[in-house]
Amino acid sequence: MPQTLEDGSPLCRLVAWELTRSCNLACKHCRAEAHMEPYPGELSTDEAKALIDSFKQVGDPIIIFTGGEPLLRKDIFELVKHASDQGLRCVMAPNGTLLNPENVARLKAAGIQRCSISIDGPDAATHDVFRGVPGAFEAAMRGIQYLTDAGVEFQINTTVTKDNLHQFKEIYTLADSLGAKAWHIFLLVPTGRAAGMADQVIAATEYEQVLNWFYDFRKTTSMHLKATCAPHYYRIMRQRAAAEGLPVDRENFGMDAMTRGCLGGTGFCFVSHVGIVQPCGYLDLNCGDIKQKPFPEIWRTSPQFKQFRTPSDYEGKCGPCEFHRVCGGCRARAYTMAGNYMAEEPLCSYTPKRLCKAL
C-alpha cells in the first residue's frame, strides 16, 4: 500500500467511531459526559453503512466501534458485519458490563477481532469509584471471561491518574492473569466530565517518570504495552534506545517504531455519534460533518487536519522540536489546558536542542 493518497494526503489508518453516546455507566473521566438516555441526531443505519462504504477511499483503516456503550446501539452487529465484509479490521470498545455469552457470540460472528475493556483499578473498590456504578468491576470481569470463553481477543485500557499511579503494577498483574493480549495506558485529558478532575492530572515531571518507567517495564513482559495520549513517549523511547545503542525498529519495538505519538488528523480521526469528524475524541473540534460532506473529502481537505500535517503551524516548542515527526504533542491537552489546539504540549518537560542553542 502507498504511504500517501494520490493527492499527497496521509492514509487514514485508524477511525474511532462513536456509534452512540448513550452509556450505562457514569465514569469520572468520560470525555462525552455520557448518560443512559438516548441522544438525538445519531446516524441512521443507512447513514452509518454509507460511512463505512467510504472508508476505503482514504486507506484501509482499523475501525474502533466505540461509544458511549456501543452495545446500546441496536444495529451494532449489522454494522460490524457490513464493515467486516469489506475487509476492514473491526475492533470494539465496550465497558464490559453488558457482555454476555449471546452477544459475544454475535460480535464474533459479525467480525469483531478484539475488544478493549477499561480497568482503572486492580479491584472493585478502586475501579467502581472511577466508573461511577457499584458492581462495574465484577461485571467487567464476567464480560472478560465471556470473551475468553468465546475465543475473542481482549486488551485492558487504563487511564493514568494520581490516585491509581501507585497501583499500576497491580493492574498489569491483573491484566496478565486474565490473559489480555495488550495493556494500553492513557494519560488523562481533562475534557468532558474529566474537566472536574484537574487535580488528578499528573505534572510534567511525573509524566516523564511514568513514561520512563513504562519504557523499562515493557522489557519485563511479552504482552504488548502501549502508551496512548502520551505522544512524548515516542521521544523518550528514542532517547533511551539511543543511550542503549538500540536501533528503533520493529524487531526491538514492534509497531511503536512505525507510528507517531499524536495521530489526530494525520493517521487517525474520530467520528461522533451525529457524524462530526474530529481529530480525536478528546478534542471537540468540528472538522467536518459527514451529513453535509463525504468523509473522504473531510479527511483530505479539512483546514484543521491540514494544520496538524504542517510542522510549521505548531506553536511554542513543539514546532522546532527535533522529535516533532514522532511526537507532535497532544493537541487535545494543548486545547483543554492552554486554550489553543496548536499550542505546545502543556505536560512536556523537554527543551528542544534548537531552543537550547538559542538560550
Side-chain angles (χ1 to χ4, degrees):
M1 181 174 286
Q3 294 302 303
T4 62
L5 300 170
E6 69 280 0
D7 65 349
S9 302
L11 294 172
C12 181
R13 301 180 183 277
L14 190 64
V15 176
W17 183 8
E18 181 188 57
L19 284 177
T20 179
R21 188 162 283 192
S22 298
C23 188
N24 62 311
L25 298 184
C27 304
K28 284 186 175 181
H29 69 310
C30 181
R31 55 162 184 80
E33 301 183 75
H35 51 67
M36 188 67 178
E37 294 77 15
Y39 285 79
E42 291 186 350
L43 299 181
S44 68
T45 300
D46 287 344
E47 287 172 329
K49 285 185 175 180
L51 174 61
I52 292 169
D53 291 340
S54 73
F55 285 145
K56 284 215 164 189
Q57 296 178 37
V58 289
D60 190 25
I62 298 169
I63 310 303
I64 306 171
F65 292 91
T66 186
E69 169 51 59
L71 283 172
L72 292 177
R73 176 95 186 201
K74 294 180 179 179
D75 58 0
I76 176 65
F77 309 104
E78 182 180 352
L79 296 180
V80 170
K81 186 177 187 306
H82 191 74
S84 183
D85 285 348
Q86 296 192 29
L88 295 168
R89 176 173 169 82
C90 299
V91 299
M92 185 173 158
N95 59 46
T97 65
L98 299 183
L99 292 172
N100 58 48
E102 180 186 5
N103 60 28
V104 167
R106 293 185 68 187
L107 287 172
K108 182 178 181 180
I112 288 295
Q113 298 183 40
R114 178 182 287 191
C115 286
S116 61
I117 308 293
S118 292
I119 301 294
D120 298 297
D123 51 37
T126 50
H127 178 80
D128 288 2
V129 169
F130 202 80
R131 294 283 147 181
V133 174
F137 182 81
E138 292 303 324
M141 292 298 106
R142 285 195 300 272
I144 287 171
Q145 188 60 55
Y146 296 139
L147 293 171
T148 300
D149 293 344
V152 178
E153 282 187 1
F154 72 93
Q155 69 183 52
I156 297 297
N157 294 350
T158 301
T159 297
V160 182
T161 67
K162 287 186 176 181
D163 279 352
N164 69 5
L165 196 53
H166 68 287
Q167 297 176 309
F168 261 47
K169 286 190 178 179
E170 293 176 72
I171 297 172
Y172 164 77
T173 300
L174 173 64
D176 190 39
S177 69
L178 291 170
K181 292 294 183 182
W183 182 41
H184 290 201
I185 67 167
F186 286 70
L187 275 293
L188 183 68
V189 179
T191 188
R193 203 173 280 138
M197 296 180 66
D199 63 327
Q200 288 297 313
V201 178
I202 62 175
T205 52
E206 292 174 304
Y207 209 136
E208 201 82 359
Q209 291 166 5
V210 168
L211 296 180
N212 272 283
W213 170 83
F214 194 73
Y215 177 89
D216 289 324
F217 189 70
R218 53 170 285 281
K219 301 174 186 177
T220 69
T221 176
S222 59
M223 186 191 296
H224 177 235
L225 306 185
K226 181 176 175 58
T228 303
C229 298
H232 26 309
Y233 173 72
Y234 296 88
R235 181 248 310 160
I236 289 170
M237 181 179 76
R238 284 165 174 79
Q239 289 174 310
R240 295 290 303 278
E244 296 170 6
L246 284 175
V248 177
D249 54 25
R250 291 188 70 164
E251 181 179 353
N252 292 315
F253 295 96
M255 287 303 296
D256 280 351
M258 313 300 292
T259 189
R260 181 178 188 260
C262 182
L263 291 170
T266 65
F268 166 82
C269 70
F270 173 90
V271 181
S272 82
H273 63 299
V274 294
I276 301 300
V277 179
Q278 302 173 197
C280 76
Y282 298 105
L283 179 47
D284 190 7
L285 182 66
N286 187 337
C287 299
D289 184 343
I290 67 162
K291 293 179 180 178
Q292 300 176 4
K293 184 181 295 186
F295 174 79
E297 185 179 348
I298 295 170
W299 177 259
R300 294 171 188 269
T301 66
S302 160
Q304 297 94 334
F305 284 4
K306 287 188 173 184
Q307 280 186 290
F308 296 141
R309 300 165 188 172
T310 307
S312 60
D313 282 353
Y314 286 70
E315 300 174 18
K317 63 185 180 182
C318 280
C321 183
E322 66 272 22
F323 292 102
H324 175 89
R325 184 181 62 83
V326 297
C327 173
C330 176
R331 299 299 98 214
R333 203 173 288 116
Y335 183 68
T336 58
M337 298 180 71
N340 175 6
Y341 61 82
M342 295 307 292
E344 65 184 46
E345 159 71 63
L347 295 182
C348 179
S349 60
Y350 180 69
T351 302
K353 290 180 179 178
R354 193 181 305 175
L355 294 183
C356 285
K357 292 176 182 178
L359 295 177

